[in-house]
Amino acid sequence: MQFEIEKDFSFEAAHYFDHADANDVFKRIHGHSFAGRVRIIGDPQDDKGWIRDLWKIENIIKTHVVSKLDHTLLNDVEGLSAPALEQIALWAFERLEPHLPGLTCVEISRPSCGERARYVKS
């Protein structure tokens, strides 16, 4: 019997795009309130009935993602020189996967813009 669980998180950060066809507005440093979500699939533990402790998941996300991105210039974060939503989702997935068995998806969004991207493990 498999279940899916999800945990949301958020962070505030700035970024800019410097590729040739970037809109002039977005070539300037600007900030967003970002939201994220991780999805884990697995069997419930017999003794607890849950896949994994959501509080522990929250702490793993804080340690490996939020503490690295919150109130930063994303372009300066190693591995995020081109911080599009897709790249942030992949960056977060790569840092979380070793600590979250069953991780299948990381979503990053900018709710105020109505935009999101997901990295889904294939």
Side-chain angles (χ1 to χ4, degrees):
M1 169 184 336
Q2 285 208 318
F3 289 93
E4 289 184 9
I5 58 173
E6 296 181 335
K7 182 64 180 164
D8 294 339
F9 61 96
S10 62
F11 59 95
E12 309 291 327
H15 68 159
Y16 62 89
F17 295 108
D18 60 0
H19 52 276
D21 62 344
N23 180 309
D24 287 340
V25 172
F26 301 114
K27 287 183 178 181
R28 289 181 270 177
I29 295 174
H30 60 282
H32 297 281
S33 295
F34 289 89
R37 175 174 293 155
V38 300
R39 180 184 312 134
I40 298 169
I41 295 176
D43 296 318
Q45 298 172 22
D46 290 335
D47 60 335
K48 297 178 182 146
W50 64 32
I51 297 171
R52 185 138 187 194
D53 184 329
L54 288 163
W55 182 83
K56 289 180 181 177
I57 292 169
E58 179 179 344
N59 285 320
I60 289 167
I61 295 168
K62 284 181 183 178
T63 300
H64 297 283
V65 174
V66 174
S67 69
K68 311 287 190 241
L69 302 181
D70 194 39
H71 288 85
T72 66
L73 176 60
L74 296 175
N75 302 70
D76 291 344
V77 174
E78 187 174 333
L80 279 178
S81 60
L85 288 173
E86 295 89 339
Q87 297 308 309
I88 300 167
L90 174 60
W91 183 94
F93 188 95
E94 289 173 342
R95 278 139 190 88
L96 292 171
E97 186 178 31
H99 308 284
L100 293 175
L103 180 66
T104 62
C105 178
V106 173
E107 175 181 293
I108 301 293
S109 66
R110 292 186 293 249
S112 66
C113 301
E115 302 166 343
R116 69 187 43 80
R118 289 181 198 91
Y119 177 80
V120 180
K121 184 176 181 179
S122 53

